[in-house]
């Protein structure tokens, strides 16, 4: 029995791992700066203008590591991995196709967005579902993997559109 690899999940997990490592690296660098500048500040009197200058320099260097942006990137990659994993779990564990499709739609889309985009959402969810079922049960070829990836790309495009609509509202 061949082990079927799910490249989309592996890719999402690799992105999450890279984001985590980048955050960890930046946090470590910020902490090193904190330690370094605290050591330097210890020898400067509190009311000295040199202390304010040194603190501003430290904060500027720390901000250059863009931790907020890195945390946001890590959050986005974690969400992507969770959604891909959930969709794969549903397809592989829910035998009833209609129930499976409904569950995937419910975790990915809000009702108001689904009502406005029902046909397109249904098309891409069904394509993903059928492609993944074929990939899992029939043929784990590069072509079937590509079909799953293409369908998921369209689903992600629609979830991004949904997010943009939510921000505009």
């Amino acid at each position: 029995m061949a082990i079927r690899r799910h490249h989309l999940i592996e890719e999402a997990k690799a992105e999450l791992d890279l984001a985590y490592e980048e955050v960890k690296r930046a946090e470590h660098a910020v902490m090193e700066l904190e330690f370094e500048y605290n050591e330097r500040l210890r020898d400067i009197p509190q009311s000295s203008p040199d202390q304010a200058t040194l603190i501003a320099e430290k904060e500027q260097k720390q901000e250059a590591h863009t931790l907020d942006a890195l945390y946001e990137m890590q959050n986005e990659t974690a969400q992507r991995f969770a959604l891909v994993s959930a969709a794969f779990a549903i397809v592989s564990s829910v035998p009833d196709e209609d129930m499976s499709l409904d569950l995937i739609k419910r975790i990915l889309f809000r009702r108001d967005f689904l009502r406005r985009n029902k046909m397109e959402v249904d098309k891409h969810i069904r394509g993903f579902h059928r492609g993944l079922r074929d990939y899992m049960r029939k043929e784990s070829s590069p072509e079937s993997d590509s079909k799953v990836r293409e369908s998921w790309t369209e689903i992600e495009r629609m979830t991004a559109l949904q997010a943009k609509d939510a921000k505009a509202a």
Side-chain angles (χ1 to χ4, degrees):
M1 176 179 184
I3 295 177
R4 294 172 192 241
R5 298 181 64 185
H6 302 295
H7 298 100
L8 190 59
I9 285 180
E10 290 176 356
E11 175 187 288
K13 177 66 167 90
E15 288 172 4
L16 178 57
D17 290 344
L18 287 172
Y20 171 78
E21 289 301 321
E22 191 62 25
V23 165
K24 193 167 87 172
R25 182 202 56 76
E27 286 175 336
H28 184 70
V30 166
M31 293 305 294
E32 283 180 351
L33 284 169
E34 188 72 28
F35 179 77
E36 173 192 335
Y37 277 85
N38 285 344
E39 289 293 312
R40 291 169 62 187
L41 286 168
R42 201 180 323 172
D43 299 330
I44 299 173
Q46 274 193 328
S47 58
S48 168
D50 291 342
Q51 189 178 53
T53 302
L54 210 52
I55 289 171
E57 181 182 311
K58 173 190 77 167
E59 289 172 353
Q60 183 180 14
K61 285 184 177 184
Q62 287 176 328
E63 286 175 15
H65 288 284
T66 63
L67 269 174
D68 289 340
L70 292 173
Y71 288 141
E72 180 62 29
M73 177 186 66
Q74 183 181 28
N75 185 47
E76 289 172 7
T77 60
Q79 287 177 7
R80 180 174 190 253
F81 178 68
L83 292 174
V84 169
S85 298
F88 271 64
I90 290 167
V91 171
S92 67
S93 65
V94 178
D96 181 81
E97 182 175 349
D98 289 335
M99 183 184 290
S100 181
L101 293 168
D102 188 53
L103 288 169
I104 294 170
K105 283 190 280 192
R106 285 176 184 240
I107 66 167
L108 294 173
F109 298 102
R110 291 184 328 273
R111 283 188 184 140
D112 61 323
F113 186 85
L114 281 171
R115 276 191 296 261
R116 290 191 316 271
N117 300 282
K118 182 174 179 8
M119 290 178 59
E120 190 176 4
V121 168
D122 284 350
K123 172 186 163 190
H124 296 304
I125 297 284
R126 193 171 300 283
F128 170 77
H129 187 274
R130 288 190 177 147
L132 187 54
R133 280 247 167 111
D134 288 347
Y135 181 85
M136 291 171 149
R137 296 181 180 163
K138 295 177 186 173
E139 180 183 15
S140 57
S141 67
E143 294 79 21
S144 58
D145 183 58
S146 180
K147 288 177 186 176
V148 170
R149 185 179 301 280
E150 287 169 17
S151 295
W152 188 259
T153 298
E154 286 302 311
I155 290 168
E156 285 184 327
R157 180 187 62 77
M158 294 193 73
T159 59
L161 180 61
Q162 174 180 246
K164 185 178 176 183
D165 286 354
K167 283 184 181 180

